[in-house]
Amino acid sequence: MSVPMLKIGAVLSTMAMVTNWMSQTLPSLVGLNGTTVSRGGTSERIISALYPSPEEGWQIYSSAQDADGKCICTVVAPAQNMCNRDPRSRQLRQLMEKVQNISQSMEVLDLRTYRDLQYVRNTESLMKVVDGKLKVASENPRSLNPKGFQELKDKVNQLLPLLPVLEQYKTDAKMILRLREEVRNLSLVLMAIQEEMGAYDYEELRQRVLLLETRLHSCMQKLGCGKLTGVSNPITVRASGSRFGSWMTDTMIPSSDNRVWSMDGYFKGRRVLEYRTMSDFMKGQNFVQHLLPHPWAGTGHVVYNGSLYYNKHQSNIIIKYHFRSRSVLVQRSLSGAGYNNTFPYSWGGSSDIDLMADENGLWAVYTSIPNAGNIVISRLEPQSLEVLQTWDTGFPKRSAGESFMICGTLYVTNSHLAGAKIYFAYYTNTSSYEYTDIPFHNQYSHISMMDYNPRERVLYTWNNGHQVLYNVTLFQVIKTSGD
């Protein structure tokens, strides 16, 4: 049977790979190709790209900071065919840079595994202490009243599933050591080749690096769904457009597709800009325009598997627009849903219907008169837009600033203005809710769009004309098979 196990406190990164650099290394990187952004009230430098295009090497496009104050920079791997026609010296330089970045990424994984293992070991000790007390209470029932006895027993039952996790973390730690040794050996080989150019098979080198990348990705994919426990400081990517709008990347397509879409405004808009990469979006270049056949309402749009899902202006109709064919594939009314500022978020803006996607699929967040203005969650079938299942959260939509889905859980903010926090969570898997207290820095004081991207594992926000990212911290849940 499947046994749920817990893995703690992993900071999920914004794109394909994450590499952890000490803060003091940033100044040496800025001179390569940097742009100044504001984050968390201080001015910092974010490296937009080490190279002009993904074909020429790794790209660094944003930075964040972990709990220990270490800088976390996000890098995007180059195209797979980088060694096909380049001179050997250029191939060698790129391979060495890739090895360096993989090594730094493994340091992040190593640190995370070490911390998690320490937590599990501490929990194991706690469980033994509690279990010892339970045995004493069992031998001498008079020493513990019935209520206290049951509470102690329940705690033990909650801790028991953590025992097998210890062995899993030990295995992960050994795997990290093997990967680190392989990278070290490959680095030594590359340095030797640098002294004796032309004496090695570069295609074999490239394959070895790609194999290491694959194995590292496999390690990081163990980080599955979990409960939101924290949000990072904001990372300002760009300041563009009006006060209200939305921007996004595809929530489902492969990570090699880095297109970014931007939709300015919330009222009767039809113009969607598609940028080739995040770097192009930051610079405002290399984009194409899509003119939608029907105008949109609000900012609750989502791109899912190559199509844009949005709310048609002055209606409760959802439209699926396919970017490649530039055509509407399907449109369907969301029965009973309010529209045209009947049940918006606290900021207004025709935000009655909010479409979003997470690890579990496509969702619509809205409300209706029969639901007394409380937020309703419906899971949608992406092809037909039929409603598969619906939940009434009991939370008044007009009291919400924005909301987003992570792993089947709806998280709601209590305001769109400064001082907002993530205040409410509704779990669709158990049809239950709880009030939360997760702060985040609303840097520009007016959020009109906040959506989670499960592929990149970040929050996208449109904040008073600024396009801003947040990393998230999840309490990890990993399922393994057991008897």
Side-chain angles (χ1 to χ4, degrees):
M1 65 178 180
S2 291
V3 179
M5 299 184 182
L6 305 178
K7 195 166 184 177
I8 310 298
V11 177
L12 301 181
S13 65
T14 54
M15 291 288 280
M17 297 275 294
V18 175
T19 177
N20 192 354
W21 290 351
M22 296 299 290
S23 298
Q24 57 264 32
T25 64
L26 269 180
S28 63
L29 292 173
V30 170
L32 294 173
N33 183 13
T35 57
T36 302
V37 301
S38 178
R39 189 189 71 187
T42 61
S43 180
E44 296 184 358
R45 301 283 288 183
I46 285 185
I47 311 304
S48 59
L50 284 176
Y51 298 91
S53 69
E55 290 75 21
E56 295 187 15
W58 290 72
Q59 289 183 300
I60 300 175
Y61 72 92
S62 70
S63 69
Q65 197 172 44
D66 66 13
D68 297 327
K70 293 182 179 180
C71 182
I72 300 176
C73 297
T74 302
V75 296
V76 180
Q80 302 276 314
N81 61 352
M82 67 173 188
C83 289
N84 288 353
R85 294 183 295 274
D86 291 344
R88 285 189 170 185
S89 60
R90 186 177 181 184
Q91 297 170 14
L92 179 60
R93 185 184 74 247
Q94 291 174 338
L95 284 171
M96 293 187 72
E97 289 162 348
K98 290 185 65 149
V99 170
Q100 180 185 10
N101 281 292
I102 292 173
S103 300
Q104 292 163 340
S105 298
M106 284 191 294
E107 288 298 323
V108 174
L109 188 59
D110 189 11
L111 176 62
R112 183 166 57 234
T113 303
Y114 174 78
R115 288 176 176 174
D116 292 347
L117 188 56
Q118 289 298 112
Y119 177 89
V120 174
R121 284 172 175 164
N122 294 339
T123 305
E124 182 185 23
S125 301
L126 174 62
M127 186 184 63
K128 290 178 179 178
V129 171
V130 175
D131 190 46
K133 291 182 178 180
L134 182 61
K135 289 179 179 177
V136 172
S138 299
E139 295 170 356
N140 185 12
R142 293 182 180 180
S143 65
L144 193 66
N145 60 43
K147 182 179 178 180
F149 181 86
Q150 185 59 43
E151 289 176 352
L152 188 57
K153 188 174 181 181
D154 290 341
K155 281 188 177 181
V156 173
N157 290 334
Q158 292 173 11
L159 290 171
L160 285 177
L162 289 171
L163 280 175
V165 180
L166 181 59
E167 292 303 320
Q168 180 64 48
Y169 289 160
K170 290 179 180 177
T171 302
D172 288 347
K174 291 179 181 178
M175 180 168 54
I176 291 170
L177 290 175
R178 290 197 301 270
L179 286 171
R180 181 187 292 165
E181 182 66 19
E182 290 185 41
V183 171
R184 189 186 69 84
N185 292 339
L186 184 54
S187 299
L188 293 175
V189 171
L190 286 169
M191 285 188 288
I193 295 170
Q194 193 172 23
E195 298 176 359
E196 300 179 13
M197 289 294 293
Y200 204 87
D201 185 345
Y202 287 91
E203 182 61 22
E204 181 180 346
L205 275 176
R206 186 173 73 91
Q207 292 300 324
R208 290 179 66 181
V209 172
L210 293 178
L211 178 60
L212 286 173
E213 281 189 271
T214 301
R215 294 177 66 181
L216 182 59
H217 275 294
S218 177
C219 289
M220 301 188 75
Q221 285 303 313
K222 289 185 178 182
L223 298 176
C225 270
K227 179 180 178 180
L228 180 66
T229 59
V231 177
S232 75
N233 284 329
I235 303 166
T236 302
V237 175
R238 186 183 176 191
S240 66
S242 65
R243 188 179 190 185
F244 314 96
S246 61
W247 71 297
M248 66 214 79
T249 56
D250 200 309
T251 56
M252 185 178 176
I253 58 175
S255 58
S256 58
D257 190 327
N258 297 313
R259 289 177 294 171
V260 179
W261 289 270
S262 176
M263 301 168 68
D264 191 12
Y266 69 85
F267 183 74
K268 296 181 67 174
R270 295 179 60 194
R271 184 169 175 258
V272 182
L273 299 184
E274 176 187 303
Y275 295 84
R276 187 184 61 175
T277 65
M278 182 68 74
S279 177
D280 288 336
F281 174 75
M282 293 171 65
K283 299 172 185 175
Q285 65 184 25
N286 294 330
F287 63 86
V288 297
Q289 176 177 288
H290 298 268
L291 193 63
L292 300 177
H294 306 288
W296 70 68
T299 59
H301 328 302
V302 65
V303 176
Y304 184 83
N305 198 24
S307 294
L308 172 69
Y309 295 79
Y310 70 96
N311 176 210
K312 183 179 179 181
H313 175 63
Q314 289 190 333
S315 74
N316 58 12
I317 294 174
I318 300 173
I319 292 178
K320 177 183 179 181
Y321 175 83
H322 189 240
F323 283 116
R324 180 170 293 179
S325 64
R326 293 178 178 262
S327 63
V328 173
L329 298 185
V330 65
Q331 52 182 313
R332 181 182 293 272
S333 174
L334 191 58
S335 179
Y339 61 94
N340 199 26
N341 272 330
T342 303
F343 298 110
Y345 289 123
S346 61
W347 65 272
S350 299
S351 56
D352 302 76
I353 298 175
D354 194 356
L355 301 170
M356 52 190 74
D358 70 352
E359 292 83 352
N360 296 343
L362 185 66
W363 305 84
V365 172
Y366 59 100
T367 190
S368 63
I369 292 176
N371 292 100
N374 293 330
I375 291 178
V376 174
I377 308 170
S378 289
R379 191 161 65 89
L380 305 179
E381 205 291 311
Q383 303 303 321
S384 66
L385 296 180
E386 292 181 353
V387 173
L388 301 176
Q389 192 173 357
T390 297
W391 296 261
D392 185 348
T393 67
F395 190 93
K397 191 166 186 290
R398 287 184 176 272
S399 298
E402 269 289 340
S403 67
F404 54 91
M405 298 287 297
I406 297 181
C407 299
T409 298
L410 180 74
Y411 295 94
V412 182
T413 69
N414 62 345
S415 173
H416 61 285
L417 302 173
K421 60 184 177 181
I422 299 169
Y423 179 71
F424 179 85
Y426 187 89
Y427 306 98
T428 60
N429 61 334
T430 59
S431 298
S432 62
Y433 70 90
E434 69 173 341
Y435 288 93
T436 61
D437 187 12
I438 304 174
F440 67 96
H441 183 39
N442 186 350
Q443 186 169 358
Y444 305 105
S445 303
H446 196 289
I447 291 178
S448 59
M449 169 258 178
M450 192 172 198
D451 271 343
Y452 171 72
N453 187 305
R455 179 170 66 96
E456 300 166 5
R457 291 173 168 174
V458 300
L459 292 175
Y460 279 70
T461 67
W462 189 290
N463 194 339
N464 212 356
H466 297 79
Q467 292 73 53
V468 181
L469 294 175
Y470 292 87
N471 292 313
V472 298
T473 301
L474 300 183
F475 185 91
Q476 291 299 314
V477 177
I478 301 176
K479 293 184 177 180
T480 60
S481 298
D483 295 328

